[in-house]
Amino acid sequence: MDTDVSPSVPGDDVSLDVRLDHASIMTTDLDEAISFYVDLIGLSLRTVEDDPVRNGRKRAMLTDDRDREVVELIEMSEMKHPSVPGRGGIHHLGFSFSSREWHSLRSRLDAADHAYEETKGRLFVRDADGLVLEIEKE
């Protein structure tokens, strides 16, 4: 079967409506990770449950203000290492916040004395496992 799979070129009228469904993050401490994403980032905790895919593990599902699942946290305590802190399993996550929410997050981080770097209108902050989050203003 011969199928034309030519790449799209700029100016094509074809577009793809894609959104990130959720990011799955491995964590060594589920409670600490939940606290970070809920208390500091501002996501909501939908559930903590037995992982339906990975037997013997717990997972937490976190949602945004529209109740969309955006982050799945999977506890993997065997990732703990005595001399290598921060063993999160993704390079970084990028979030886009309204200007108001971005400033509110920065205030929460300051109040919690949680380290972050502000560069070119973006906040770069590490979660409980050392995973970098990039938070930009809309």
Side-chain angles (χ1 to χ4, degrees), residues 34 44-49 59-62 69:
I34 290 169
S44 297
L45 176 62
R46 172 173 288 157
T47 187
V48 175
E49 62 189 4
R59 78 168 187 171
M61 295 303 298
L62 307 178
E69 292 179 347

PDB file of all heavy atoms in Angstrom, residues 34 44-49 59-62 69:
ATOM      1  N   ILE A  34       2.502  15.783  46.102  1.00  0.00           N
ATOM      2  CA  ILE A  34       1.133  16.324  46.110  1.00  0.00           C
ATOM      3  C   ILE A  34       1.133  17.703  46.749  1.00  0.00           C
ATOM      4  O   ILE A  34       0.545  18.647  46.220  1.00  0.00           O
ATOM      5  CB  ILE A  34       0.161  15.379  46.851  1.00  0.00           C
ATOM      6  CG1 ILE A  34      -0.062  14.098  46.032  1.00  0.00           C
ATOM      7  CG2 ILE A  34      -1.175  16.081  47.130  1.00  0.00           C
ATOM      8  CD1 ILE A  34      -0.787  13.002  46.787  1.00  0.00           C
ATOM      9  N   SER A  44      -5.416  21.035  41.729  1.00  0.00           N
ATOM     10  CA  SER A  44      -6.333  20.407  42.687  1.00  0.00           C
ATOM     11  C   SER A  44      -6.117  18.900  42.686  1.00  0.00           C
ATOM     12  O   SER A  44      -5.862  18.304  41.638  1.00  0.00           O
ATOM     13  CB  SER A  44      -7.785  20.701  42.306  1.00  0.00           C
ATOM     14  OG  SER A  44      -8.034  22.086  42.366  1.00  0.00           O
ATOM     15  N   LEU A  45      -6.256  18.312  43.842  1.00  0.00           N
ATOM     16  CA  LEU A  45      -6.121  16.859  43.975  1.00  0.00           C
ATOM     17  C   LEU A  45      -7.464  16.213  43.690  1.00  0.00           C
ATOM     18  O   LEU A  45      -8.442  16.465  44.391  1.00  0.00           O
ATOM     19  CB  LEU A  45      -5.651  16.500  45.382  1.00  0.00           C
ATOM     20  CG  LEU A  45      -5.555  15.015  45.718  1.00  0.00           C
ATOM     21  CD1 LEU A  45      -4.533  14.319  44.821  1.00  0.00           C
ATOM     22  CD2 LEU A  45      -5.201  14.836  47.183  1.00  0.00           C
ATOM     23  N   ARG A  46      -7.527  15.409  42.631  1.00  0.00           N
ATOM     24  CA  ARG A  46      -8.760  14.682  42.323  1.00  0.00           C
ATOM     25  C   ARG A  46      -8.832  13.391  43.131  1.00  0.00           C
ATOM     26  O   ARG A  46      -9.842  13.076  43.727  1.00  0.00           O
ATOM     27  CB  ARG A  46      -8.856  14.351  40.841  1.00  0.00           C
ATOM     28  CG  ARG A  46     -10.054  13.414  40.552  1.00  0.00           C
ATOM     29  CD  ARG A  46     -10.311  13.171  39.110  1.00  0.00           C
ATOM     30  NE  ARG A  46     -10.870  14.382  38.544  1.00  0.00           N
ATOM     31  CZ  ARG A  46     -10.818  14.681  37.257  1.00  0.00           C
ATOM     32  NH1 ARG A  46     -10.247  13.867  36.400  1.00  0.00           N
ATOM     33  NH2 ARG A  46     -11.349  15.790  36.795  1.00  0.00           N
ATOM     34  N   THR A  47      -7.726  12.636  43.144  1.00  0.00           N
ATOM     35  CA  THR A  47      -7.761  11.354  43.834  1.00  0.00           C
ATOM     36  C   THR A  47      -6.356  10.841  44.110  1.00  0.00           C
ATOM     37  O   THR A  47      -5.416  11.176  43.397  1.00  0.00           O
ATOM     38  CB  THR A  47      -8.531  10.292  42.997  1.00  0.00           C
ATOM     39  OG1 THR A  47      -8.696   9.100  43.773  1.00  0.00           O
ATOM     40  CG2 THR A  47      -7.796   9.944  41.715  1.00  0.00           C
ATOM     41  N   VAL A  48      -6.247  10.049  45.160  1.00  0.00           N
ATOM     42  CA  VAL A  48      -5.076   9.204  45.412  1.00  0.00           C
ATOM     43  C   VAL A  48      -5.634   7.792  45.424  1.00  0.00           C
ATOM     44  O   VAL A  48      -6.603   7.503  46.140  1.00  0.00           O
ATOM     45  CB  VAL A  48      -4.395   9.528  46.760  1.00  0.00           C
ATOM     46  CG1 VAL A  48      -3.264   8.548  47.038  1.00  0.00           C
ATOM     47  CG2 VAL A  48      -3.902  10.964  46.789  1.00  0.00           C
ATOM     48  N   GLU A  49      -5.039   6.923  44.610  1.00  0.00           N
ATOM     49  CA  GLU A  49      -5.612   5.589  44.437  1.00  0.00           C
ATOM     50  C   GLU A  49      -4.533   4.578  44.084  1.00  0.00           C
ATOM     51  O   GLU A  49      -3.396   4.945  43.789  1.00  0.00           O
ATOM     52  CB  GLU A  49      -6.663   5.621  43.324  1.00  0.00           C
ATOM     53  CG  GLU A  49      -6.073   6.001  41.965  1.00  0.00           C
ATOM     54  CD  GLU A  49      -7.115   6.249  40.882  1.00  0.00           C
ATOM     55  OE1 GLU A  49      -8.319   6.200  41.173  1.00  0.00           O
ATOM     56  OE2 GLU A  49      -6.704   6.499  39.734  1.00  0.00           O
ATOM     57  N   ARG A  59      -1.004   6.214  43.006  1.00  0.00           N
ATOM     58  CA  ARG A  59      -0.893   7.363  42.123  1.00  0.00           C
ATOM     59  C   ARG A  59      -1.869   8.443  42.578  1.00  0.00           C
ATOM     60  O   ARG A  59      -2.855   8.159  43.252  1.00  0.00           O
ATOM     61  CB  ARG A  59      -1.161   6.995  40.670  1.00  0.00           C
ATOM     62  CG  ARG A  59      -2.631   6.837  40.363  1.00  0.00           C
ATOM     63  CD  ARG A  59      -2.870   6.767  38.893  1.00  0.00           C
ATOM     64  NE  ARG A  59      -4.313   6.786  38.627  1.00  0.00           N
ATOM     65  CZ  ARG A  59      -4.824   6.901  37.441  1.00  0.00           C
ATOM     66  NH1 ARG A  59      -4.048   6.982  36.388  1.00  0.00           N
ATOM     67  NH2 ARG A  59      -6.131   6.920  37.274  1.00  0.00           N
ATOM     68  N   ALA A  60      -1.554   9.664  42.189  1.00  0.00           N
ATOM     69  CA  ALA A  60      -2.442  10.798  42.451  1.00  0.00           C
ATOM     70  C   ALA A  60      -2.729  11.462  41.117  1.00  0.00           C
ATOM     71  O   ALA A  60      -1.841  11.593  40.272  1.00  0.00           O
ATOM     72  CB  ALA A  60      -1.776  11.782  43.397  1.00  0.00           C
ATOM     73  N   MET A  61      -3.976  11.881  40.917  1.00  0.00           N
ATOM     74  CA  MET A  61      -4.354  12.626  39.721  1.00  0.00           C
ATOM     75  C   MET A  61      -4.661  14.057  40.138  1.00  0.00           C
ATOM     76  O   MET A  61      -5.461  14.292  41.054  1.00  0.00           O
ATOM     77  CB  MET A  61      -5.568  11.994  39.036  1.00  0.00           C
ATOM     78  CG  MET A  61      -5.302  10.607  38.476  1.00  0.00           C
ATOM     79  SD  MET A  61      -3.944  10.497  37.273  1.00  0.00           S
ATOM     80  CE  MET A  61      -4.513  11.548  35.957  1.00  0.00           C
ATOM     81  N   LEU A  62      -4.011  15.013  39.458  1.00  0.00           N
ATOM     82  CA  LEU A  62      -4.167  16.428  39.766  1.00  0.00           C
ATOM     83  C   LEU A  62      -4.832  17.131  38.587  1.00  0.00           C
ATOM     84  O   LEU A  62      -4.542  16.819  37.429  1.00  0.00           O
ATOM     85  CB  LEU A  62      -2.801  17.057  40.055  1.00  0.00           C
ATOM     86  CG  LEU A  62      -1.965  16.340  41.124  1.00  0.00           C
ATOM     87  CD1 LEU A  62      -0.624  17.021  41.284  1.00  0.00           C
ATOM     88  CD2 LEU A  62      -2.695  16.287  42.445  1.00  0.00           C
ATOM     89  N   GLU A  69      -7.563  16.694  33.977  1.00  0.00           N
ATOM     90  CA  GLU A  69      -6.386  16.033  34.540  1.00  0.00           C
ATOM     91  C   GLU A  69      -5.163  16.526  33.795  1.00  0.00           C
ATOM     92  O   GLU A  69      -5.098  16.453  32.570  1.00  0.00           O
ATOM     93  CB  GLU A  69      -6.518  14.520  34.413  1.00  0.00           C
ATOM     94  CG  GLU A  69      -7.605  13.956  35.292  1.00  0.00           C
ATOM     95  CD  GLU A  69      -7.764  12.458  35.163  1.00  0.00           C
ATOM     96  OE1 GLU A  69      -7.211  11.850  34.221  1.00  0.00           O
ATOM     97  OE2 GLU A  69      -8.458  11.882  36.020  1.00  0.00           O
TER      98      GLU A  69
END
